[in-house]
Amino acid sequence: MPTDCISFNDTNYFSSLVCDYLEECQELQPFYNRFPKLENFKNQIEEKEVSYNQTSRNMLVLVLKEQYKTVNSSRQTLDNIALLEDSKTFTITTGHQLNLFTGPLYFLYKIISTINLTKALKEEYPDYNFVPIYWMASEDHDFEEINYFNFKGKKIRWNRDAGGGVGDLDTKDLDKVFETYSKELGQGTNANFLKQLFKNAYLNYKNLAEATRYIANELFKDFGLVVIDANNRNLKRLFIPYIKEELCKQTSHRAVSQTNKQINELSGNYKIQVNPREINLFYLKDGLRERIVYENGVYRVFDTDISWSEEDVLRHLDEMPERFSPNVIMRPLYQEVILPNLCYIGGGGELAYWFQLKAYFNTVNVPFPMLLLRNSVLIKTKKQSEKLEKLGVSLKELFAKQQDLINSQVKKLSTIDIDFSLQKEHLQKQFKALYELAEKTDKSFLGAVAAQEKKQVKGLSNLEKRLLKAQKRKLNDQVSRITEIQNQLFPGQSLQERNLNFSELYLEFGDQLIQQLILNLQPLKGEFLILEL
């Protein structure tokens, strides 16, 4: 299938932090471990090999086998789970919220980036094994962020009350959402596949975590994807030493606060994504997920009557580690403690908060993973490509804000020169002579000259705008066609991948959607892919 690329910087949709990272800006180097290049994985493997023990491997495999008991998985996935017991096996991980029916399209891109990186690493380092992991954010509690997906310009929403970690939410009332979605899908082979996928996941599995695992497995089991739900008693037991450190010493608060200060002092004016609390843990119990605070020598669960002394909270941790949940600051550490992981693949916002964590990892002596920006893709049809070519719209122009795109195209198509730059330049030359004259006479005359210059430049700008507006009316047909195709490819004036659900494209392209993404996504290339299907 035809493909093209554009730099992330040229899309104007990615932060300066992400673009500078991709350029390996020297200022950012203290905030990550190794840049994701094939040759750099050798040292990452050696570092992780020393730090990750066999006990952790055995427990990880035991938990995964238990979680996959109710899943009809592939031989590739089951083999990958078994391989994790081998000291020569490492993981590449991506994480995602438990969005209803996967949420935005980039869910696919995250996972396929992960799968394809494991393939590239196996070719480069054949003596080792590499397993793609999808980490389900089952302990998140932001239900309003995940309870819908967009389909053909409509929101398919799951309305209900929710509390606690979203992974435990029961799915019993999703039959109503299924009815709504089924009507929107219509008939056909691809529509029937999507209906069955939704129905089997949400009507046959008891909670959101199990349903999401089913969907991810159905879509990617042929590629050996392993899905993990880390909200697990035995996995949390491996993390107890770090939870104790957090409760007793508040290590993460000090380390991340210092890093945030360093980032704020950089010349790039980068935005801080997360601010640490004194204790970066939540407490989970019976639909409750609330933060743990330390006040006046007492540990307590905020906004409840649950409290402990230090001795009691540590005893409770040893007895019931599953009730202690890491927040956004500690979740990455939890991941790296329980997995033999080399690299985390995420979006720009995710990478930005990972950059805040390296000093914390160093403090607790856990290897910091390599960080890789997930693949981004714009999918278009052959018909859309032909329209763009006929309209004379380039890839770079297509990514412009709509008003900027229209203005540039009208100026390009117009038989009249709409750019008044020459007239403004001529005007400024005339006023230069007036300024020289004013200097020789009364200096109060300077203010009058400056005011007149400002007035006339503004007048020319207004005339330029009016001429542009008139030409837009004259070229209304071309403007409408340009607007229409950009709206198709950038729904809601945003990136396609942040708006559409995968099912909208699957309905049109079927199995080809995932197959072509697997063939074309190159996670280490570092460019935005435009793919024609």
Side-chain angles (χ1 to χ4, degrees):
M1 297 289 175
T3 65
D4 212 328
C5 290
I6 184 172
S7 75
F8 281 98
N9 197 41
D10 284 342
T11 69
N12 299 309
Y13 277 97
F14 292 83
S15 70
S16 59
L17 178 66
V18 166
C19 294
D20 287 349
Y21 177 57
L22 294 175
E23 293 294 323
E24 298 182 65
C25 173
Q26 194 168 356
E27 271 197 325
L28 290 173
Q29 287 178 6
F31 304 101
Y32 62 90
N33 196 1
R34 297 177 180 92
F35 193 77
K37 296 177 180 177
L38 271 180
E39 61 268 25
N40 289 344
F41 276 89
K42 185 177 188 299
N43 289 335
Q44 192 75 25
I45 289 169
E46 291 170 354
E47 186 178 16
K48 193 68 181 185
E49 201 168 14
V50 172
S51 72
Y52 192 74
N53 61 47
Q54 192 61 43
T55 302
S56 297
R57 285 187 179 277
N58 295 343
M59 182 56 70
L60 176 63
V61 171
L62 184 71
V63 169
L64 285 170
K65 284 181 176 177
E66 183 65 30
Q67 292 184 352
Y68 269 81
K69 274 186 177 178
T70 60
V71 181
N72 180 25
S73 197
S74 66
R75 185 76 263 157
Q76 293 96 313
T77 292
L78 296 177
D79 286 348
N80 273 346
I81 290 172
L83 277 172
L84 287 166
E85 273 187 310
D86 186 341
S87 63
K88 296 293 185 183
T89 300
F90 298 91
T91 62
I92 304 297
T93 302
T94 192
H96 195 67
Q97 294 174 295
L98 305 190
N99 297 70
L100 184 62
F101 213 45
T102 75
L105 185 57
Y106 64 76
F107 172 83
L108 265 61
Y109 305 158
K110 277 184 164 183
I111 290 177
I112 294 171
S113 298
T114 305
I115 290 167
N116 283 357
L117 180 56
T118 62
K119 291 179 182 178
L121 288 171
K122 185 62 178 175
E123 287 183 17
E124 185 72 13
Y125 301 100
D127 293 337
Y128 295 94
N129 305 303
F130 306 94
V131 175
I133 298 283
Y134 161 42
W135 177 290
M136 294 193 295
S138 55
E139 294 179 62
D140 278 7
H141 65 288
D142 294 322
F143 182 65
E144 293 302 314
E145 290 185 8
I146 67 163
N147 71 339
Y148 71 92
F149 62 95
N150 296 319
F151 185 78
K152 294 187 175 180
K154 298 179 181 178
K155 269 189 168 53
I156 308 293
R157 190 180 293 276
W158 180 19
N159 293 309
R160 59 161 294 168
D161 294 328
V166 295
D168 291 330
L169 289 175
D170 66 70
T171 56
K172 63 183 180 182
D173 55 350
L174 274 163
D175 53 338
K176 297 169 188 172
V177 180
F178 175 64
E179 287 174 20
T180 302
Y181 180 47
S182 292
K183 290 174 185 175
E184 294 292 337
L185 280 169
Q187 300 300 318
T189 303
N190 294 340
N192 290 338
F193 169 81
L194 293 167
K195 288 176 189 176
Q196 203 61 46
L197 183 66
F198 191 102
K199 184 178 180 181
N200 289 347
Y202 296 113
L203 276 59
N204 293 348
Y205 285 90
K206 66 181 181 180
N207 64 38
L208 191 56
E210 290 182 4
T212 303
R213 182 191 292 111
Y214 172 82
I215 291 170
N217 179 70
E218 284 300 298
L219 293 176
F220 297 108
K221 62 185 178 183
D222 291 344
F223 308 102
L225 180 71
V226 175
V227 181
I228 186 168
D229 180 0
N231 186 12
N232 176 276
R233 176 185 176 87
N234 288 324
L235 294 179
K236 291 279 180 74
R237 191 162 292 286
L238 298 175
F239 198 53
I240 284 177
Y242 303 92
I243 298 177
K244 285 184 177 179
E245 169 107 3
E246 181 69 8
L247 289 169
C248 299
K249 299 181 181 178
Q250 290 90 57
T251 306
S252 67
H253 180 264
R254 288 195 304 275
V256 177
S257 295
Q258 182 59 34
T259 299
N260 287 359
K261 183 180 176 185
Q262 292 168 351
I263 291 173
N264 279 327
E265 291 170 354
L266 296 179
S267 60
N269 296 316
Y270 305 124
K271 183 182 176 184
I272 293 296
Q273 292 290 308
V274 291
N275 287 296
R277 299 185 183 279
E278 289 188 0
I279 294 178
N280 290 285
L281 293 165
F282 285 97
Y283 188 71
L284 289 174
K285 182 185 177 185
D286 303 328
L288 170 76
R289 186 178 188 256
E290 192 53 80
R291 57 195 175 93
I292 298 172
V293 296
Y294 181 69
E295 296 173 343
N296 302 318
V298 175
Y299 294 88
R300 64 184 186 86
V301 179
F302 186 75
D303 210 22
T304 73
D305 57 2
I306 303 171
S307 64
W308 311 271
S309 67
E310 181 176 302
E311 183 182 353
D312 288 340
V313 76
L314 295 180
R315 185 186 307 113
H316 185 49
L317 169 62
D318 284 329
E319 293 168 352
M320 308 191 83
E322 67 274 17
R323 292 194 175 176
F324 293 78
S325 175
N327 75 354
V328 66
I329 295 288
M330 287 193 71
R331 189 213 63 78
L333 180 70
Y334 180 38
Q335 170 189 297
E336 296 303 309
V337 166
I338 67 172
L339 293 177
N341 197 49
L342 303 175
C343 177
Y344 182 77
I345 297 179
E350 290 176 280
L351 263 56
Y353 75 70
W354 274 89
F355 288 143
Q356 298 173 235
L357 303 177
K358 184 169 182 286
Y360 173 41
F361 273 69
N362 291 345
T363 303
V364 294
N365 203 28
V366 174
F368 196 64
M370 296 167 82
L371 302 176
L372 179 61
L373 183 67
R374 65 168 173 81
N375 282 116
S376 281
V377 188
L378 174 66
I379 293 175
K380 57 188 175 74
T381 63
K382 185 179 180 181
K383 190 175 179 181
Q384 286 170 331
S385 295
E386 289 169 352
K387 282 184 180 179
L388 288 168
E389 190 174 348
K390 198 174 288 185
L391 289 166
V393 177
S394 70
L395 282 179
K396 191 171 179 180
E397 288 170 327
L398 188 62
F399 280 81
K401 301 299 179 189
Q402 190 161 94
Q403 205 54 52
D404 294 338
L405 173 62
I406 291 168
N407 289 347
S408 68
Q409 291 302 303
V410 167
K411 288 176 181 178
K412 191 192 297 184
L413 293 166
S414 178
T415 55
I416 303 168
D417 188 2
I418 302 173
D419 187 352
F420 280 17
S421 298
L422 284 175
Q423 289 86 342
K424 289 175 185 175
E425 189 180 327
H426 180 65
L427 186 67
Q428 285 165 346
K429 284 178 182 176
Q430 289 180 316
F431 271 93
K432 186 179 179 184
L434 284 172
Y435 280 120
E436 289 171 359
L437 180 63
E439 288 285 352
K440 296 173 184 177
T441 58
D442 187 349
K443 289 191 177 181
S444 63
F445 185 52
L446 278 171
V449 172
Q452 190 62 29
E453 180 188 25
K454 186 178 179 181
K455 182 179 178 181
Q456 292 198 30
V457 169
K458 186 179 179 182
L460 278 175
S461 295
N462 287 336
L463 284 173
E464 188 178 34
K465 287 176 185 175
R466 290 186 67 174
L467 180 57
L468 180 61
K469 194 173 180 181
Q471 286 301 97
K472 282 180 188 177
R473 287 195 296 269
K474 187 176 179 182
L475 298 167
N476 181 60
D477 182 50
Q478 290 96 321
V479 168
S480 295
R481 282 187 283 152
I482 290 166
T483 303
E484 181 185 5
I485 195 164
Q486 196 192 42
N487 286 342
Q488 289 172 8
L489 295 171
F490 293 79
Q493 293 298 290
S494 181
L495 288 177
Q496 181 190 71
E497 64 185 32
R498 298 177 187 173
N499 189 296
L500 296 190
N501 178 258
F502 88 96
S503 62
E504 191 165 333
L505 293 177
Y506 192 95
L507 193 62
E508 184 172 0
F509 302 113
D511 291 342
Q512 279 294 302
L513 175 63
I514 290 176
Q515 288 174 17
Q516 288 302 318
L517 289 169
I518 290 282
L519 285 173
N520 287 287
L521 265 59
Q522 299 178 52
L524 297 176
K525 191 172 182 180
E527 290 186 302
F528 195 111
L529 177 68
I530 292 89
L531 176 63
E532 182 185 300
L533 289 183

